[in-house]
Amino acid sequence: FLFSQKEHSTTFNLASQTHARTWLLWILFLSIMTLGASSSISFLRFAHIVNFILHAIKLPMVWDYEIWDGLTDLSIIFMSPVDAAPLIRWQMITFYTATAIYKLTKSFLDPRLSCAPIFVFSLLDSMIPTSIQPSSLILQFFNTTAPFLTVCVEAAIPFCLTYFPRFGICFALFFHFLIAVTPPPNNAGGFSVSVAVRYALFFALGMKLRTSSKLLLLFAPILIAVAFILGRARGNDWALPVYVGISIALLSQLFSCHHFFNSKNKIIFNKNKISWLRLLIKSLTILYTLLPILGLQDMMAPTMFANLRVFTPSNHVILPTNLLQHHDIVRVDFVNSLAFNDVHPNRADHIFSDRLSSWLKVGGHSGLQFAPYVKRAINITLHSNLPEAFLPYLLPDLELRRLLAEARAHSQDFSLIYTKLPSGDQVHYHAMNNSCSILSSTSSSYITCPSDELPFAPPLSFWQDKFLLFFSIPIAPDALFPNATEIGCLC
């Protein structure tokens, strides 16, 4: 029960606006558990109902894995654990498969731009003594192979969970352990905790532990204490000790389990009550994995660190994007509003260690990372896009309208200059007097903006506000990266 509410506890030190609410929820949960701990299934369902409601309230400022949580919560809420377990296993395998497929983008596979070398070098930087300096050939090898190795690993996880579940769980736990211990800003410990909770459903239900597994649990306090100390040293990263505790619980089951569920297992369902629910939840799951192709979701989609272009022509080697949703694209050339500059592009590489930045450059990577999603999901600004050193970026029209509304909500006086693509017309907007003018690309004169120009557009609809949240695409100065349309990792 407690582990199913874990992601709300991992944001204590990250999102101050959720701190008080999280503690109140924990007090509520513990009080109700104390009053009625005799019905574990009922409280399990209650936990997932609250989990689902919390995620719905937070939309659209949620992590992608929290959408995974919400979709799997539906299975537990409307079905018994026995009926829900095989469906959740199928959902998790589907999510993993989608993330692996979406990483087949030209950007992710490009060693100069990919997020994968940043993860690899961050781990090496945190583990290798400072006295050891790898050669340039070794760094170039890791930088070149990291994107392809990452795709292979992420594709192997759903395959192993399906056909070799015992090995698959161990493999996935180790993979998510590396994610949890990755130094900031890429330590996605909440993601690791979230998926690990659901690995319990890959075991047969109602098992008893062997003596050898009970002995493993004796080491749990020591391992969790070490993880707690490490997490504390990294800025109160509570997700790490929570993940270690869940992993120990799962491994203790792993050594006791004689039977795993896989794709060949058959579960008898009540056809009148369950079949249509399974079909509905499976349909929602598949629809969620297809949303980037349709152009209906960017952030929150199962495209973690893939640098997938959703609102521009697709950069995926196979799949199209933006099939249903047409976006007008603008290039933000200048803005002096914090509502804009704290979110986009939110450059993150300035917090890298000097050694990590050096390794990336020697390995052939741009060394650049941008984290607008970090600001959106947990309200952390890593680096404001300061006007005196402004970095232009691409946005879809809907995201620009969202940012304009947020800037006005803070009663900010600001100026905005953006270029409409592909026409090249440049729009100048001043919030103080709500004035707007357009400098045509074909003339040197300004004209007044029409009433349907983006600064005068109506507020986003409920659907657009709740589900359409977009990355920006920073544009490189020619001297930095003359032959690339993108300049670094997006997260």
Side-chain angles (χ1 to χ4, degrees), residues 126-349:
S126 64
M127 296 176 181
I128 296 178
T130 55
S131 59
I132 299 177
Q133 176 63 37
S135 68
S136 60
L137 287 177
I138 293 177
L139 294 175
Q140 291 169 8
F141 171 79
F142 277 116
N143 189 75
T144 302
T145 58
F148 303 95
L149 178 61
T150 301
V151 172
C152 291
V153 168
E154 294 202 12
I157 289 176
F159 177 82
C160 293
L161 288 175
T162 302
Y163 298 104
F164 309 101
R166 188 185 297 273
F167 173 76
I169 290 174
C170 290
F171 185 45
L173 285 175
F174 178 69
F175 173 73
H176 282 285
F177 174 76
L178 294 179
I179 291 177
V181 299
T182 299
N186 299 308
N187 51 324
F191 176 39
S192 297
V193 172
S194 173
V195 297
V197 169
R198 286 148 180 85
Y199 290 159
L201 296 172
F202 283 81
F203 298 97
L205 302 178
M207 294 187 309
K208 293 183 178 180
L209 294 181
R210 290 180 175 178
T211 303
S212 58
S213 300
K214 294 177 181 178
L215 291 176
L216 174 64
L217 294 179
L218 293 177
F219 294 96
I222 299 175
L223 296 175
I224 294 174
V226 172
F228 176 83
I229 294 172
L230 179 60
R232 179 90 180 196
R234 288 160 36 127
N236 294 336
D237 183 2
W238 305 120
L240 183 57
V242 172
Y243 178 74
V244 170
I246 296 172
S247 298
I248 293 172
L250 290 172
L251 290 173
S252 67
Q253 290 284 69
L254 191 69
F255 295 124
S256 295
C257 188
H258 294 286
H259 174 69
F260 291 85
F261 287 107
N262 57 42
S263 59
K264 297 180 181 180
N265 291 131
K266 303 293 183 181
I267 301 293
I268 299 176
F269 294 95
N270 182 331
K271 294 184 178 180
N272 295 328
K273 185 177 180 180
I274 301 299
S275 294
W276 70 269
L277 281 173
R278 291 180 65 229
L279 178 61
L280 176 60
I281 294 174
K282 280 192 172 185
S283 299
L284 290 174
T285 301
I286 293 174
L287 176 62
Y288 165 69
T289 63
L290 296 178
L291 288 178
I293 297 175
L294 302 177
L296 298 177
Q297 202 168 63
D298 193 1
M299 292 184 184
M300 300 183 284
T303 57
M304 299 87 158
F305 297 95
N307 278 34
L308 179 70
R309 288 193 170 196
V310 172
F311 61 88
T312 68
S314 176
N315 63 345
H316 198 277
V317 298
I318 301 173
L319 301 174
T321 57
N322 204 22
L323 292 182
L324 293 184
Q325 179 75 33
H326 172 73
H327 298 283
D328 294 327
I329 303 171
V330 303
R331 183 186 69 225
V332 178
D333 300 313
F334 173 85
V335 64
N336 56 4
S337 166
L338 291 178
F340 280 77
N341 295 332
D342 283 356
V343 178
H344 297 290
N346 201 16
R347 188 168 172 176
D349 52 90

Side-chain angles (χ1 to χ4, degrees), residues 1-9 26 29 47-48 50-51:
F1 177 91
L2 294 177
F3 285 156
S4 70
Q5 296 303 318
K6 74 296 161 193
E7 60 267 27
H8 303 295
S9 68
W26 272 97
F29 293 157
H48 283 279
V50 175
N51 210 39

